[in-house]
């Protein structure tokens, strides 16, 4: 464990200025299990501080302690959390409640579940507007409250506030809902906003817009921010100072510029190395193997998709999910399909796997047509074409042991005898770097990274040529993601596998892919090599996507320098 | 990313949905009638003729012929079914074999009493359930904890025990009601309590579980962070989503209310469907029994129909355009429920 360190920002050193939020030796336990251990930090007025960590680091628990939203009766917090000099933990609820909303606001993680699903946005907005007071300290009248709500929704970039107010949460998109949540949080003009992963449930371009909105509101309304994130790149871009957490303890803390460029603790260093946005060339060696194959003029394409169109009929309306899609993937390389939700990524995968039949166009994998074949005929193609799902927490049958999970494709295709299958399963586990001791475990007893390795081993066991990867790391922590990417690239270099890598994470695509198709609303906006797309994008949409990669270089150093002077 | 705009409650999908549901309900009732008819007709020995030919009953041959012709017992089963069905559709439920009175008259005489009992029991059950559930969230911790034990306690005591206790304490000891005047308001009230307590347990159990579930949702935390008090959180946020599943549970407890009514009526000495069923079973009065079974089916179907029709209006998330996604309720298994209710 790295030594505990107090965050020393210039303001907190002078005793005359009291920090807005002062956390000292905060420890939190859930039913005897300690999840936060003596954490201390200061958040000066007007600053933003990021708590960074992976799942289980205790970052959200700290946020909930500060907000006093720990589950009643289960969570126990000790230490002090001083908000404007008042110890929040020691206050009885009836004294803390007036601070809720007015002094300390909250922007939750998942916009789709953070509003009451059976009440209109308007009726919930009224609760926030009821906190508003005029100069004399009286509650505003109905019309003034409504106007304030409409104003704040317009302020957070919602075009038609009246329509938003009349809607139920399920009728709005995630980005719009997150704007509503932010609007409701800033409406009573709190001094501090706690934002718990405010963008992790959103598309990348929306992510950037929401973060921009938060930064802008913070500056214009003079609100301080406690930002909880797993993404060091986002923290580097948005926060003045950071606290790096692991297993409930502080690993390192300090000004963002220092922690993000020259981390001193081993963990922060590792975290720094694992963030794709900060290390675009991390896997340059492994990637170069595929790059050579791509550049080889003799190489034939392993996958060819030509003019594929797929339409669906939804409630009598024709919807073109994939529109004249074409791309070719040289053998032994990685082709990335990049797009946001609704771009047709999922349909593309289903078409590639032969789960959907295209309305027109053709798909050729390893010289065999995939489209227009019967289920039985597809079996032979499938042996060469495997799939790794997005979420390893739901894609593995929880009642099966690892051995059976990995062996199943062999059983289904009746490959080899019993001993041969046993051997093949163990080879596949070796290939993904899993210990044989895990063979007798069920998915519940595995970590997220181990599960995704099992899923990859399962895809590998048939010795396919092509693996389709559907955001294989998006459900995983960044350090686990780095391990999985490493495994994938090593396998490609060694076995000459061809990958179709579907993702919305451009920084990750930059690290591992060779060619890219940028898709939007079912159409290819732009395609080319990774270098060409990233260095010289031709289309505005590609530029928007690229701009959404957090720019760690833009850490708020000027603001910090200002504070110091 | 645009808004997925849809009219808030488009009238047309709702109308289509409502018509579909009503037609389904009518079909279920007719099927229930056919089912009971066939079950009775395949039973060995024809009870109608057996009764008529029983020398003790003193029917003349002419009368026997008239009744046999009325029921069409001399014709094939499917003709009988068709005729019975057409009589049923016209509201003719047949004639009791014992009293020679129309079945509809017999049922009409006792239906009111049972309906009053069942409805008051439902009111008692809902009030109790709500009180318990409210207490678990808003009372001081020890009380709230104790209240959580009530549903299982209520469920584990059979309602005849509760009924006997109530009679003992409130009628015999305190004299608050007369056992003789079994249809009076006070007696009805206590009978409703006896019948309502076990039902309240089921409703309270579901309500408490849902309140707990909703209180753990992100939106409850977000609402708390905006400065809402506990009681405002309860009334404005938790109650409605927690009550939606309760609506379905109420539909399911109708069986409990009907079955329980038969027992409660016996204990409190009330004349109702319960006593009618009891008499008809012992005397093998099949037309009456069949009518009661069909009545139970009608009650079930109607209650579930009401739930199905009301649910989309309460829950804005229900999408009626995909008919398959309509809420599932007990009406989906018509035969099972009618059998359950007649047992």
């Amino acid at each position: 464990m790295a030594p505990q360190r107090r965050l020393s920002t210039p303001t907190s050193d002078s005793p005359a200025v009291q920090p807005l939020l002062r956390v000292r030796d905060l420890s939190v336990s859930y039913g005897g299990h300690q999840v936060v251990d003596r954490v201390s930090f200061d958040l000066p007025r007007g600053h933003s501080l990021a708590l960074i960590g992976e799942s289980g680091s205790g970052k959200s628990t700290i946020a909930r302690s500060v907000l006093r939203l720990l589950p009643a009766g289960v969570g126990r917090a000790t230490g002090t959390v001083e908000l404007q000099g008042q110890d929040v933990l020691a206050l009885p609820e009836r004294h803390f409640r007036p601070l809720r909303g007015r002094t300390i606001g909250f922007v939750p993680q998942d916009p789709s579940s953070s509003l009451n699903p059976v009440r209109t946005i308007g009726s919930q907005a009224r609760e926030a507007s009821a906190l508003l007071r005029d100069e004399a300290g009286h509650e505003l009248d109905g019309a003034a409250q409504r106007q304030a709500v409409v104003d704040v929704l317009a302020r957070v970039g919602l075009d038609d506030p009246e329509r938003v107010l009349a809607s139920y949460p399920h009728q709005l998109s995630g980005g719009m809902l997150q704007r509503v949540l932010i609007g409701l949080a800033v409406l009573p003009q709190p001094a501090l906003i706690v934002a718990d992963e405010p963008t992790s449930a959103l598309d990348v371009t929306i992510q950037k817009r929401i973060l921009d909105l938060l930064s802008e509101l913070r500056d214009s309304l003079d609100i301080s921010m406690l930002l909880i994130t797993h993404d060091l790149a986002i923290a580097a871009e948005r926060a003045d100072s950071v606290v790096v957490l692991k297993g409930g303890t502080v690993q390192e803390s300090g000004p963002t510029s220092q922690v993000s460029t020259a981390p001193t603790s081993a963990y922060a260093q590792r975290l720094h190395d694992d963030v794709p946005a900060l290390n675009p060339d991390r896997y340059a060696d492994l990637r170069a193997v595929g790059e050579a194959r791509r550049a080889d003029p003799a190489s034939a394409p392993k996958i060819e998709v030509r003019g594929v169109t797929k339409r669906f009929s939804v409630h009598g309306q024709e919807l073109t999910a994939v529109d004249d899609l074409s791309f070719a993937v040289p053998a032994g390389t990685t082709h990335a399909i990049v797009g946001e939700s609704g771009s047709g990524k999922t349909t593309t995968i289903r078409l590639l796997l032969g789960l959907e039949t295209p309305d027109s166009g053709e798909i050729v994998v390893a010289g065999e047509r995939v489209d227009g074949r019967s289920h039985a005929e597809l079996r032979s193609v499938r042996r060469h074409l495997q799939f790794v799902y997005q979420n390893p927490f739901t894609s593995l049958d929880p009642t099966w042991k690892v051995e059976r999970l990995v062996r199943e494709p062999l059983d289904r295709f009746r490959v080899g005898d019993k001993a041969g299958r046993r051997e093949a399963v163990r080879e596949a586990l070796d290939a993904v770097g899993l210990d044989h001791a895990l063979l007798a475990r069920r998915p519940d007893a595995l970590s997220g990274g181990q599960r995704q390795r099992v899923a990859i081993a399962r895809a590998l066991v048939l010795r396919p040529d092509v693996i389709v990867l559907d955001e294989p790391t998006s459900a995983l922590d960044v350090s686990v993601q780095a391990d999985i990417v490493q495994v994938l690239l090593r396998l490609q270099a060694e076995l000459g596998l061809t990958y179709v890598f579907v993702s919305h994470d451009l920084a990750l695509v930059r690290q591992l892919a060779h060619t890219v198709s940028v898709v939007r609303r079912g159409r290819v906006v732009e395609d080319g090599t990774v270098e060409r797309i990233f260095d010289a994008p031709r289309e505005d949409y590609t530029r928007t996507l690229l701009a959404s990669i957090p720019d760690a270089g833009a850490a708020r150093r000027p603001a910090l320098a200002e504070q110091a002077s | 990313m645009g808004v997925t705009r849809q009219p808030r409650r488009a009238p047309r999908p709702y109308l289509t949905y409502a018509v579909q549901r009503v037609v389904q309900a009518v079909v279920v009732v007719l099927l229930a009638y056919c089912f009971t008819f066939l079950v009775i007709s395949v039973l060995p020995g024809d009870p109608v003729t057996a009764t008529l030919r029983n020398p003790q009953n003193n029917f003349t041959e002419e009368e026997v012929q008239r009744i046999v012709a009325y029921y069409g017992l001399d014709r094939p089963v499917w003709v009988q079914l068709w005729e019975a069905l057409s009589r049923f559709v016209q509201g003719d439920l047949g004639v009791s074999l014992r009293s020679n009175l129309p079945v509809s008259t017999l049922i009409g005489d006792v239906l009111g009493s049972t309906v009053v009992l069942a409805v008051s029991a439902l009111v008692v059950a809902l009030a109790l359930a709500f009180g318990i559930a409210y207490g678990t969230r808003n009372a001081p911790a020890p009380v709230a904890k104790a209240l959580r034990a009530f549903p299982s306690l209520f469920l584990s005591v059979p309602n005849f025990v509760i009924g006997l206790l109530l009679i003992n304490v409130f009628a015999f000891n305190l004299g608050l009601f007369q056992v003789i005047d079994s249809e009076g308001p006070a007696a009805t009230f206590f009978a409703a309590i006896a019948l309502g307590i076990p039902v309240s347990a089921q409703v309270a159990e579901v309500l408490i579980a849902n309140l707990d579930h909703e209180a753990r949702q992100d939106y409850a935390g977000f609402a708390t962070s905006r400065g809402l008090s506990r009681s405002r959180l309860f009334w404005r946020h938790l109650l409605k989503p927690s009550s939606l599943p309760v609506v379905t549970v109420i539909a399911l407890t109708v069986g409990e209310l009907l079955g329980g009514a038969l027992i409660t009526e016996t204990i409190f000495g009330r004349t109702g469907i319960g006593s009618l069923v009891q008499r008809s079973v012992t005397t093998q009065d099949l037309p009456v029994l069949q009518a009661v079974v069909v009545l139970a089916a009608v009650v079930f179907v109607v209650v579930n129909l009401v739930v199905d029709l009301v649910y989309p209006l309460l829950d804005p998330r229900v999408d009626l355009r995909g008919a398959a996604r309509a809420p599932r309720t007990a009406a989906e298994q018509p035969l099972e429920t009618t059998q359950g209710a007649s047992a």
Side-chain angles (χ1 to χ4, degrees):
Chain A
M1 288 288 126
Q4 295 269 327
R5 222 181 298 204
R6 297 254 156 103
L7 178 64
S8 53
T9 39
T11 30
S12 60
D13 283 345
S14 61
V17 186
Q18 183 187 47
L20 178 65
L21 180 71
R22 202 174 114 102
V23 174
R24 285 293 172 273
D25 293 328
L26 175 66
S27 296
V28 186
S29 55
Y30 286 122
H33 179 67
Q34 184 140 7
V35 288
V36 173
D37 185 15
R38 281 169 293 133
V39 166
S40 302
F41 59 87
D42 283 350
L43 173 56
R45 198 173 288 276
H47 265 228
S48 77
L49 177 129
L51 298 181
I52 307 172
E54 301 183 275
S55 31
S57 65
K59 59 187 191 302
S60 285
T61 303
I62 295 173
R64 297 202 156 257
S65 310
V66 171
L67 290 159
R68 294 219 344 183
L69 288 178
L70 287 173
V74 189
R76 231 180 77 78
T78 56
T80 55
V81 174
E82 275 178 24
L83 181 65
Q84 295 179 329
Q86 269 184 307
D87 187 0
V88 164
L89 297 181
L91 278 181
E93 178 64 24
R94 86 197 133 84
H95 289 308
F96 183 68
R97 194 155 67 77
L99 302 180
R100 289 192 192 275
R102 296 198 189 95
T103 305
I104 179 166
F106 176 39
V107 177
Q109 175 169 16
D110 184 357
S112 64
S113 65
S114 295
L115 286 168
N116 193 324
V118 296
R119 297 180 56 213
T120 59
I121 308 273
S123 74
Q124 303 184 56
R126 281 294 298 268
E127 294 161 2
S129 66
L131 297 176
L132 294 172
R133 295 290 178 268
D134 60 16
E135 285 85 21
H138 299 299
E139 199 169 307
L140 301 181
D141 63 42
Q145 284 193 22
R146 190 169 175 84
Q147 192 54 47
V149 168
V150 169
D151 289 347
V152 83
L153 291 188
R155 182 89 174 72
V156 296
L158 291 163
D159 298 332
D160 192 349
E162 297 289 348
R163 263 216 298 218
V164 168
L165 289 176
S167 303
Y168 286 94
H170 71 278
Q171 294 167 327
L172 302 181
S173 69
M176 294 180 83
L177 283 177
Q178 193 59 285
R179 283 173 196 271
V180 170
L181 297 185
I182 292 172
L184 296 189
V186 299
L187 180 61
Q189 307 232 345
L192 170 67
I193 280 191
V194 179
D196 187 3
E197 303 257 17
T199 59
S200 59
L202 303 173
D203 264 330
V204 278
T205 54
I206 318 275
Q207 219 173 69
K208 179 173 164 60
R209 275 185 245 149
I210 294 291
L211 289 170
D212 286 346
L213 172 67
L214 276 173
S215 305
E216 188 262 325
L217 290 171
R218 206 167 74 67
D219 291 343
S220 60
L221 301 177
D222 192 28
I223 298 173
S224 311
M225 188 160 72
L226 182 63
L227 177 70
I228 317 298
T229 181
H230 66 276
D231 192 334
L232 185 60
I234 285 181
E237 186 186 45
R238 305 285 169 173
D240 300 319
S241 45
V242 293
V243 174
V244 180
L245 293 156
K246 187 190 180 214
T249 59
V250 175
Q251 302 295 310
E252 182 165 355
S253 62
T256 306
S257 50
Q258 181 192 317
V259 176
S260 70
T261 54
T264 52
S265 68
Y267 180 69
Q269 178 67 52
R270 162 118 206 259
L271 208 55
H272 182 269
D273 292 345
D274 288 341
V275 175
L278 300 177
N279 308 280
D281 297 318
R282 169 142 187 218
Y283 307 107
D285 296 353
L286 286 168
R287 196 176 153 273
V289 179
E291 192 58 37
R293 291 180 190 141
R294 188 189 68 75
D296 181 2
S299 76
K302 194 77 179 176
I303 302 170
E304 280 185 280
V305 174
R306 282 191 286 263
V308 165
T309 297
K310 178 71 188 173
R311 292 187 196 86
F312 292 106
S313 170
V314 183
H315 302 309
Q317 282 180 329
E318 190 96 316
L319 184 105
T320 309
V322 170
D323 190 359
D324 195 20
L325 180 79
S326 300
F327 62 86
V329 188
T333 70
T334 302
H335 181 75
I337 296 175
V338 176
E340 300 182 274
S341 25
S343 60
K345 287 181 298 186
T346 306
T347 309
T348 307
I349 293 173
R350 294 182 60 83
L351 288 165
L352 267 177
L353 297 173
L355 298 172
E356 300 280 355
T357 312
D359 294 323
S360 60
E362 56 179 37
I363 300 170
V364 179
V365 175
E368 288 189 85
R369 282 282 287 267
V370 174
D371 57 293
R373 306 189 93 180
S374 71
H375 191 75
E377 288 176 320
L378 266 177
R379 276 177 68 92
S380 67
V381 183
R382 289 231 176 90
R383 273 200 63 170
H384 306 287
L385 184 63
Q386 288 292 307
F387 181 52
V388 174
Y389 286 87
Q390 179 170 10
N391 190 342
F393 294 92
T394 54
S395 66
L396 301 175
D397 186 331
T399 64
W400 287 19
K401 289 178 179 166
V402 169
E403 164 122 45
R404 185 170 169 204
L405 283 167
V406 179
R407 200 187 58 222
E408 195 205 11
L410 297 175
D411 295 344
R412 287 240 310 276
F413 284 96
R414 303 210 177 84
V415 178
D417 56 8
K418 216 172 160 190
R421 289 179 201 177
R422 243 181 87 85
E423 192 50 40
V425 167
R426 278 156 181 76
E427 274 173 24
L429 280 198
D430 289 339
V432 296
L434 277 183
D435 198 280
H436 292 186
L438 300 182
L439 280 170
R441 292 224 197 141
R442 288 182 222 284
D444 279 351
L446 302 176
S447 69
Q450 287 173 329
R451 285 177 205 222
Q452 199 60 301
R453 281 170 195 249
V454 169
I456 295 171
R458 195 179 136 88
L460 277 179
V461 78
L462 281 172
R463 303 194 168 278
D465 312 316
V466 177
I467 299 184
V468 178
L469 304 149
D470 180 12
E471 311 222 14
T473 60
S474 65
L476 304 173
D477 274 327
V478 64
S479 59
V480 182
Q481 165 176 298
D483 289 345
I484 296 291
V485 168
Q486 180 105 34
V487 167
L488 289 173
L489 282 168
R490 183 171 49 73
L491 290 171
Q492 180 171 58
E494 287 169 6
L495 306 174
L497 295 172
T498 308
Y499 294 143
V500 175
F501 183 81
V502 177
S503 181
H504 66 267
D505 185 344
L506 280 137
L508 187 60
V509 165
R510 174 86 180 82
Q511 277 188 321
L512 63 82
H514 303 101
T515 49
V516 187
S517 294
V518 178
V519 291
R520 187 187 199 192
R521 295 187 194 129
R523 288 182 151 273
V524 175
V525 174
E526 187 169 4
D527 55 11
T529 65
V530 163
E531 288 74 13
R532 216 278 291 145
I533 296 280
F534 278 75
D535 298 340
R538 290 183 193 136
E539 299 294 323
D540 284 343
Y541 182 67
T542 313
R543 282 187 208 107
T544 312
L545 281 182
L546 290 174
S548 68
I549 301 178
D551 179 9
R556 305 174 58 88
R557 260 160 265 153
L560 210 72
E562 215 171 88
Q563 290 287 341
S565 63
Chain B
M1 298 293 306
V3 204
T4 45
R5 291 241 180 254
Q6 41 183 273
R8 261 168 71 193
R9 269 164 213 160
R12 283 220 10 205
Y14 184 75
L15 202 66
T16 321
Y17 166 78
V19 169
Q20 274 177 359
R21 286 281 140 171
V22 171
V23 171
Q24 275 179 11
V26 171
V27 170
V28 167
V29 170
L30 291 179
L31 283 177
Y33 187 86
C34 297
F35 180 73
T36 43
F37 186 93
L38 289 173
V39 165
I40 289 169
S41 66
V42 299
L43 285 177
D46 169 7
V48 177
T49 336
T51 311
L52 293 173
R53 302 247 180 245
N54 188 331
Q56 286 181 349
N57 284 343
N58 288 326
F59 283 104
T60 64
E61 186 57 30
E62 197 183 307
E63 277 175 318
V64 169
Q65 288 308 327
R66 192 170 55 78
I67 295 172
V68 165
Y70 173 78
Y71 282 106
L73 292 176
D74 44 357
R75 278 176 288 169
V77 172
W78 63 269
V79 178
Q80 290 180 38
L81 175 60
W82 176 251
E83 300 220 322
L85 211 51
S86 5
R87 284 202 304 273
F88 172 64
V89 171
Q90 288 160 27
D92 180 358
L93 294 172
V95 176
S96 162
L97 294 176
R98 288 297 142 198
S99 59
N100 259 335
L101 288 168
V103 173
S104 45
T105 313
L106 283 176
I107 290 182
D109 286 347
V110 294
L111 188 61
S113 159
T114 301
V115 167
V116 167
L117 176 62
V119 170
S120 358
L122 187 60
V123 171
V124 167
L126 291 181
L128 257 177
F130 177 78
I132 293 171
Y134 181 83
T136 59
R137 291 222 74 79
N138 296 288
V143 180
K145 215 167 181 180
L147 281 173
R148 282 172 186 270
F150 273 57
S152 36
L153 182 72
F154 284 175
L155 261 186
S156 51
V157 184
N159 70 355
F160 64 85
V161 173
I162 298 171
L164 291 175
L165 263 174
L166 288 174
I167 290 175
N168 228 324
V169 174
F170 292 100
F172 294 153
N173 294 354
L174 299 175
L176 287 182
F177 68 100
Q178 302 267 306
V179 184
I180 311 295
D181 176 24
S182 58
E183 311 284 325
T188 303
F189 175 67
F190 284 102
I193 291 182
L195 180 54
I197 279 182
V199 175
S200 79
Q202 295 178 32
V203 177
E205 195 77 67
V206 172
L207 193 53
I208 291 172
N210 282 315
L211 283 167
D212 289 349
H213 175 77
E214 296 297 333
R216 282 194 304 269
Q217 298 306 300
D218 292 347
Y219 73 80
F222 184 52
T224 306
S225 81
R226 297 199 308 268
L228 263 71
S229 66
R230 266 182 97 78
S231 73
R232 274 173 79 89
L233 184 71
F234 177 85
W235 289 107
R236 299 201 50 157
H237 281 280
L238 304 181
L239 189 57
K240 190 177 170 190
S242 309
S243 303
L244 291 173
V246 171
V247 174
T248 310
V249 173
I250 291 173
L252 292 169
T253 57
V254 170
E256 182 108 347
L257 280 171
L258 286 179
L262 308 193
I263 299 169
T264 312
E265 279 169 358
T266 314
I267 295 166
F268 283 81
R270 298 167 64 91
T271 322
I273 299 282
S275 45
L276 180 65
V277 168
Q278 194 192 357
R279 241 181 305 135
S280 310
V281 169
T282 42
T283 58
Q284 282 207 325
D285 198 344
L286 289 176
V288 176
L289 284 179
Q290 184 178 3
V292 171
V293 170
V294 173
L295 180 71
V298 168
V299 170
F300 251 98
V301 168
V302 168
V303 170
N304 280 291
L305 178 67
V306 170
V307 169
D308 281 0
L309 292 183
V310 165
Y311 210 101
L313 301 180
L314 296 177
D315 191 340
R317 290 166 298 182
V318 176
D319 183 1
L320 295 173
R321 285 172 304 173
R325 274 192 279 164
R328 306 271 105 175
T329 53
E332 311 290 334
Q333 302 141 354
L335 294 180
E336 222 175 271
T337 45
T338 43
Q339 282 173 315
S342 62

